[in-house]
Amino acid sequence: MLEIKNLHASVDGHEVLKGLNLTIEAGGVHSIMGPNGSGKSTLAQVLAGRETYEVTDGQILYKGKDLLEMAPEERACEGIFLAFQYPVEIPGVTNSYFLKSALNSIRKYRGEDELDAVEFLKLVREKMKTVELDERLLNRAINEGFSGGEKKRNEIFQMAVLEPTMAILDETDSGLDIDALRIVAEGVNQLRGPERSFLVITHYQRLLNYIVPDHVHVLVDGRIVRSGGKELALELEDKGYSWLEEAATA
Amino acid sequence: MSTVTDPLKQWENQEYKYGFVTDIESETVPPGLNEDVIRMISAKKNEPAWLTEWRLKAYRHWQKMEQPDWHNVNIAPIDYQAISYYSAPKSKKDGPKSLDEVDPKLLETYEKLGIPLHERAALAGVAVDAVFDSVSVATTFKDKLHKLGIIFCSFSEAVREHPELVRKYLGSVVPYSDNFFATLNSAVFSDGSFVYIPKGVQCPMELSTYFRINAAQTGQFERTLIIADEGAQVSYLEGCTAPMRDENQLHAAVVELVALDDAKIKYSTIQNWYPGDENGVGGIYNFVTKRGKCQGRNSHISWTQVETGSSITWKYPSCILIGDNSVGEFYSVALTNKRQQADTGTKMIHIGKNTRSYIISKGISAGQGQNTYRGQVRINKGAENARNFTQCDSMLIGDKCGAHTFPYIEVKNSTAHMEHEATTSKIGEDQMFYCNQRGIDTEDAVGMIVNGFCKEVFRELPMEFAVEAQKLLEVSLEGSVG
């Protein structure tokens, strides 16, 4: 599904990713953990195609295609979805109008018929239930006046509607209380399937109690320094990151 | 090695869709302005002596005036002797008596502009007066309106058929001496629309005028007068386009609205004159004076404008709130792209008691466009309990454009309630990326964000035109970034 080879990327001239290698198979759920500033969010933004992050070396293959050649909207249409750490507000544009435009441009790209208002409403009503989101949020401007938890649930809701093949969750658990965390995780788990891969970026092991990963990778100073199964997360919870940071710089 | 190019830079300039020229034989007077030209225009229209005199009075006053320079736009010097003040498509008679007599080339022109003039093909519920250069070429649904006592016709026809109404109200809101461009218009105005809604009648359809400049080196000076008698209601819409030409063309119109007791006038404009090219060559100078008088108690005048065209826009649709409890509203979207300049806003003059005014202005600057909001709210001494709310928002797209705001507030009565809110925003890179990441391309995303920004104004437009306005905005924005 996704193959990252020797990825180097910088922001404002500072190199953040320094030769990252990672392969995610179809249906796999991978978690990336790591201390602040290790490059977790940079990886998410680079995968989604944000231009403020400059890729200086390396290669990313997605479904066998060169991902770095694609514009962000093309990547989205090809099935890459990023659940943002800080979802933006867009005044005056309703959540439902936005999501309908997104869904229909993806459908159009795939050569599918666009959904009309009735079909769309039926679909979103069904999907809203999975994240227990209030239907009234559909007609509010995107993320405007949403609580922190609502914003994050809205991201997962959008994911459920757009049905990506490669979903990247950038610290979706930050700022969530335990109930919201459970709802978000439940939404994600319902979407797990053999054709859909996940990259779950998080600081804390807590989220991984709910979204149980197949693989856990530890990112330190722009490189993956250790990979393992879900038990690695528990070990990190116990010991912190410092022992790996020391090992990385040694 | 980054291969992701700036998606905003991939935009390309979109051609102005309405830039074609109709090949039609016209009768155009030679350029130049003097009393003989004015007499000639008046004679062509068989005007009564009082109107010829009124024009001449305006002309003599205009000669003593100077073109204003207080605005925040750069106007290349205008040679008023190089402009032709009258141009009309040639026809056998004074004017077509029915649509069947209208030159097919003209009908075709309006078809092409999306304004079919045949009633069977026309937009349901919209009556149109089509003004081509200096004359009105057709008015639809006249008979249907006539049965209700509504007068909707060209200005020239109104002068002939309803001289008493024209004489009573012409210049009653915008006097002939008002300002340089309005005074010029008073001297040379050629045609325009006239509307009278009798007592207690609610006009059952949208009335609209479609202005088209076709001839080269001519100015368009139309005049519109709308009167809503006691308890009457009308919604009126005007649209404008012009061919692409390398020279600047002057459009100096005057619109006067009069609302008597309990009357309501809603006036909407979708202005899409040729804006000039990306180097600022050509385009229409849109210097317009629009003013409404809420003369009666509980009267209500509402201006909605979507200004996307013209190389320079200079207009301030205003309300004079004389009647007690009268209401004035101004909803505006002004977009400047390429090298367009706009200096636009409103004046709300509160004279009567309990008068209210409401101003929502949305300025969008893209490319190298310069956008200025200029507004005046004045509460006179006798205007007890007057209220004003002003919201003035600017949006910048790219870093070569500008937004400017000049609000003037003058309060002479301490019972007034004034609120003023202003914001300036940029379409954020983060907003664009958020849209792109969801599969929405940059062009659609900009359109979506800008339309969201303008929502409060668009919802004031008559339904048939709200969608058109949104699309127009999107087209006008194409090529605005990068």
Coordinates of all heavy atoms in Angstrom, one line a residue, chain B residues 54-92:
Chain B
W54 N -33.8 71.5 -18.6 CA -33.2 70.8 -17.4 C -31.8 70.3 -17.8 O -30.8 70.4 -17.1 CB -34.1 69.7 -17.0 CG -33.8 69.1 -15.6 CD1 -34.1 69.7 -14.4 CD2 -33.2 67.9 -15.3 NE1 -33.7 68.9 -13.4 CE2 -33.1 67.8 -13.9 CE3 -32.7 66.9 -16.1 CZ2 -32.6 66.7 -13.2 CZ3 -32.1 65.7 -15.4 CH2 -32.1 65.7 -14.0
R55 N -31.7 69.6 -19.0 CA -30.4 69.1 -19.4 C -29.4 70.2 -19.6 O -28.2 70.1 -19.2 CB -30.6 68.4 -20.8 CG -31.3 67.1 -20.8 CD -31.5 66.7 -22.2 NE -32.2 65.4 -22.3 CZ -31.6 64.2 -22.3 NH1 -30.3 64.1 -22.1 NH2 -32.2 63.1 -22.4
L56 N -29.8 71.3 -20.2 CA -28.9 72.4 -20.5 C -28.4 73.1 -19.2 O -27.3 73.4 -19.0 CB -29.6 73.5 -21.4 CG -29.7 73.0 -22.8 CD1 -30.6 73.9 -23.6 CD2 -28.4 72.8 -23.5
K57 N -29.4 73.2 -18.2 CA -29.0 73.7 -16.9 C -27.9 72.9 -16.3 O -27.0 73.4 -15.7 CB -30.3 73.7 -16.0 CG -30.3 74.8 -15.0 CD -31.8 75.0 -14.5 CE -32.4 73.8 -13.9 NZ -33.7 74.0 -13.4
A58 N -28.1 71.5 -16.4 CA -27.1 70.6 -15.8 C -25.8 70.8 -16.6 O -24.7 70.8 -15.9 CB -27.6 69.2 -16.0
Y59 N -25.8 70.9 -17.9 CA -24.6 71.0 -18.6 C -23.8 72.3 -18.2 O -22.6 72.3 -18.0 CB -24.9 71.1 -20.1 CG -23.7 71.3 -21.0 CD1 -22.6 70.3 -21.0 CD2 -23.5 72.4 -21.8 CE1 -21.5 70.6 -21.7 CE2 -22.4 72.7 -22.5 CZ -21.4 71.7 -22.5 OH -20.2 71.9 -23.2
R60 N -24.6 73.4 -18.1 CA -23.9 74.7 -17.8 C -23.3 74.6 -16.4 O -22.2 75.1 -16.1 CB -24.9 75.8 -17.8 CG -25.2 76.2 -19.3 CD -26.5 77.1 -19.4 NE -27.0 77.0 -20.8 CZ -28.2 77.2 -21.1 NH1 -29.1 77.4 -20.2 NH2 -28.6 77.1 -22.4
H61 N -24.0 73.9 -15.5 CA -23.4 73.7 -14.1 C -22.2 72.8 -14.2 O -21.2 73.1 -13.5 CB -24.5 73.0 -13.2 CG -24.1 73.0 -11.8 ND1 -24.3 74.1 -11.0 CD2 -23.6 72.0 -11.0 CE1 -23.8 73.8 -9.8 NE2 -23.4 72.5 -9.8
W62 N -22.3 71.8 -15.0 CA -21.2 70.8 -15.1 C -19.9 71.5 -15.6 O -18.8 71.1 -15.1 CB -21.6 69.7 -16.1 CG -20.5 68.6 -16.2 CD1 -20.2 67.6 -15.3 CD2 -19.7 68.4 -17.4 NE1 -19.2 66.8 -15.8 CE2 -18.9 67.3 -17.1 CE3 -19.5 69.0 -18.6 CZ2 -17.9 66.8 -18.0 CZ3 -18.6 68.5 -19.5 CH2 -17.8 67.4 -19.2
Q63 N -20.0 72.4 -16.5 CA -18.9 73.1 -17.0 C -18.1 73.8 -15.9 O -16.9 74.1 -16.1 CB -19.3 74.1 -18.1 CG -19.6 73.4 -19.4 CD -20.1 74.4 -20.5 OE1 -21.1 75.1 -20.2 NE2 -19.4 74.5 -21.6
K64 N -18.7 74.1 -14.9 CA -18.1 74.8 -13.8 C -17.5 73.9 -12.7 O -16.9 74.3 -11.8 CB -19.1 75.8 -13.1 CG -19.4 77.0 -13.9 CD -20.4 77.9 -13.1 CE -21.8 77.7 -13.7 NZ -22.9 78.2 -12.9
M65 N -17.8 72.6 -12.9 CA -17.4 71.6 -11.9 C -16.0 70.9 -12.3 O -15.6 71.0 -13.5 CB -18.4 70.5 -11.8 CG -19.8 71.0 -11.3 SD -21.0 69.7 -11.4 CE -21.0 69.1 -9.7
E66 N -15.4 70.3 -11.3 CA -14.2 69.6 -11.6 C -14.4 68.1 -11.2 O -15.1 67.8 -10.3 CB -13.0 70.2 -10.9 CG -12.4 71.3 -11.6 CD -11.2 71.9 -10.9 OE1 -10.5 71.1 -10.2 OE2 -11.0 73.1 -11.0
Q67 N -13.7 67.3 -12.0 CA -13.8 65.8 -11.7 C -13.3 65.6 -10.3 O -12.2 66.2 -9.9 CB -13.0 65.1 -12.7 CG -13.2 63.6 -12.6 CD -12.4 62.8 -13.7 OE1 -12.4 63.1 -14.9 NE2 -11.6 61.9 -13.2
P68 N -14.0 64.9 -9.4 CA -13.6 64.7 -8.0 C -12.2 63.9 -8.0 O -11.9 63.2 -8.9 CB -14.7 63.9 -7.4 CG -15.4 63.2 -8.5 CD -15.3 64.2 -9.7
D69 N -11.5 64.2 -6.9 CA -10.2 63.4 -6.7 C -10.0 62.9 -5.3 O -9.0 62.5 -4.9 CB -9.1 64.3 -7.2 CG -8.9 65.5 -6.3 OD1 -9.8 65.7 -5.4 OD2 -8.0 66.3 -6.5
W70 N -11.1 62.9 -4.5 CA -11.0 62.5 -3.2 C -11.0 61.0 -3.0 O -10.6 60.4 -2.0 CB -12.2 63.0 -2.3 CG -13.5 63.0 -3.0 CD1 -14.2 64.0 -3.6 CD2 -14.4 61.8 -3.1 NE1 -15.4 63.5 -4.1 CE2 -15.5 62.2 -3.8 CE3 -14.3 60.5 -2.7 CZ2 -16.5 61.3 -4.1 CZ3 -15.3 59.6 -3.0 CH2 -16.4 60.0 -3.7
H71 N -11.3 60.3 -4.1 CA -11.4 58.8 -4.0 C -10.1 58.1 -4.0 O -9.0 58.7 -4.3 CB -12.3 58.3 -5.2 CG -11.9 59.0 -6.5 ND1 -12.9 59.7 -7.2 CD2 -10.8 59.2 -7.1 CE1 -12.3 60.3 -8.2 NE2 -11.0 60.0 -8.2
N72 N -10.1 56.9 -3.7 CA -8.8 56.1 -3.5 C -8.6 55.3 -4.8 O -8.3 54.1 -4.7 CB -9.0 55.2 -2.3 CG -7.7 54.6 -1.9 OD1 -6.6 55.1 -2.1 ND2 -7.8 53.4 -1.3
V73 N -8.8 55.9 -6.0 CA -8.6 55.1 -7.2 C -7.8 56.1 -8.1 O -7.9 57.3 -8.0 CB -9.9 54.7 -7.9 CG1 -10.6 53.6 -7.1 CG2 -10.8 55.9 -8.2
N74 N -7.0 55.5 -9.0 CA -6.3 56.3 -10.0 C -7.0 56.2 -11.3 O -7.2 55.2 -11.9 CB -4.9 55.7 -10.2 CG -4.0 55.9 -9.0 OD1 -4.0 57.0 -8.4 ND2 -3.3 54.8 -8.6
I75 N -7.5 57.4 -11.8 CA -8.3 57.4 -13.0 C -7.4 58.1 -14.1 O -6.9 59.2 -13.8 CB -9.6 58.2 -12.9 CG1 -10.4 57.7 -11.7 CG2 -10.3 58.3 -14.2 CD1 -11.6 58.5 -11.3
A76 N -7.1 57.4 -15.2 CA -6.4 58.1 -16.2 C -7.2 59.3 -16.7 O -8.4 59.2 -16.7 CB -6.2 57.1 -17.4
P77 N -6.5 60.3 -17.2 CA -7.3 61.5 -17.6 C -8.4 61.2 -18.6 O -8.1 60.4 -19.5 CB -6.2 62.4 -18.2 CG -4.9 62.0 -17.6 CD -5.1 60.5 -17.3
I78 N -9.5 61.7 -18.4 CA -10.6 61.5 -19.4 C -10.8 62.7 -20.3 O -11.0 63.8 -19.8 CB -11.9 61.2 -18.6 CG1 -11.8 60.0 -17.7 CG2 -13.1 60.9 -19.6 CD1 -12.9 59.7 -16.7
D79 N -10.8 62.5 -21.6 CA -11.1 63.5 -22.5 C -12.6 63.5 -22.8 O -13.0 62.7 -23.7 CB -10.2 63.4 -23.8 CG -10.4 64.5 -24.7 OD1 -11.3 65.4 -24.5 OD2 -9.7 64.6 -25.8
Y80 N -13.3 64.4 -22.2 CA -14.8 64.4 -22.4 C -15.2 64.8 -23.8 O -16.3 64.6 -24.2 CB -15.5 65.2 -21.3 CG -15.3 64.6 -19.9 CD1 -14.3 64.9 -19.1 CD2 -16.2 63.6 -19.5 CE1 -14.1 64.3 -17.9 CE2 -16.1 63.0 -18.3 CZ -15.0 63.3 -17.5 OH -14.8 62.7 -16.3
Q81 N -14.3 65.4 -24.5 CA -14.6 65.7 -25.9 C -14.3 64.6 -26.9 O -14.7 64.7 -28.1 CB -13.8 67.0 -26.3 CG -14.2 68.3 -25.6 CD -15.7 68.6 -25.7 OE1 -16.4 68.3 -26.6 NE2 -16.2 69.3 -24.7
A82 N -13.7 63.5 -26.4 CA -13.4 62.4 -27.3 C -14.4 61.3 -27.2 O -14.3 60.3 -27.8 CB -12.0 61.8 -26.9
I83 N -15.4 61.5 -26.4 CA -16.5 60.5 -26.2 C -17.7 60.9 -27.0 O -18.0 62.0 -27.2 CB -16.9 60.5 -24.7 CG1 -15.8 60.1 -23.8 CG2 -18.1 59.6 -24.5 CD1 -16.0 60.2 -22.3
S84 N -18.3 59.8 -27.6 CA -19.6 60.0 -28.3 C -20.7 59.8 -27.3 O -20.7 58.9 -26.5 CB -19.7 59.0 -29.4 OG -21.1 59.0 -29.8
Y85 N -21.6 60.8 -27.3 CA -22.6 60.8 -26.2 C -23.9 60.2 -26.6 O -24.9 60.2 -25.9 CB -22.8 62.2 -25.7 CG -21.7 62.7 -24.9 CD1 -20.5 63.2 -25.5 CD2 -21.6 62.4 -23.5 CE1 -19.4 63.5 -24.7 CE2 -20.5 62.7 -22.7 CZ -19.4 63.3 -23.3 OH -18.3 63.6 -22.6
Y86 N -24.0 59.6 -27.9 CA -25.2 59.0 -28.3 C -24.9 57.9 -29.3 O -24.3 58.2 -30.3 CB -26.2 60.0 -28.8 CG -27.6 59.4 -29.1 CD1 -28.5 59.3 -28.0 CD2 -27.9 58.9 -30.3 CE1 -29.8 58.7 -28.3 CE2 -29.2 58.4 -30.6 CZ -30.1 58.3 -29.6 OH -31.3 57.7 -29.8
S87 N -25.4 56.7 -29.1 CA -25.2 55.7 -30.1 C -26.4 54.8 -30.0 O -26.8 54.3 -28.9 CB -24.0 54.9 -29.9 OG -23.9 53.8 -30.8
A88 N -27.1 54.5 -31.1 CA -28.2 53.6 -31.1 C -28.2 52.7 -32.3 O -27.9 53.2 -33.4 CB -29.5 54.5 -31.1
P89 N -28.6 51.5 -32.2 CA -28.8 50.6 -33.3 C -29.8 51.2 -34.3 O -30.9 51.7 -33.8 CB -29.2 49.3 -32.8 CG -29.6 49.5 -31.4 CD -29.0 50.8 -30.9
K90 N -29.5 51.2 -35.6 CA -30.4 51.8 -36.5 C -31.7 51.0 -36.6 O -31.7 49.8 -36.7 CB -29.8 51.9 -37.9 CG -29.1 53.2 -38.2 CD -28.7 53.3 -39.6 CE -28.0 54.7 -39.8 NZ -27.1 54.6 -41.0
S91 N -32.8 51.7 -36.6 CA -34.1 51.0 -36.8 C -35.0 51.9 -37.7 O -34.7 53.1 -37.8 CB -34.8 50.7 -35.5 OG -35.2 51.9 -34.9
K92 N -36.0 51.3 -38.3 CA -36.8 52.1 -39.2 C -37.6 53.2 -38.5 O -37.7 54.3 -39.0 CB -37.8 51.1 -39.9 CG -37.1 50.2 -40.8 CD -38.0 49.0 -41.2 CE -37.2 47.8 -41.6 NZ -37.4 46.7 -40.6

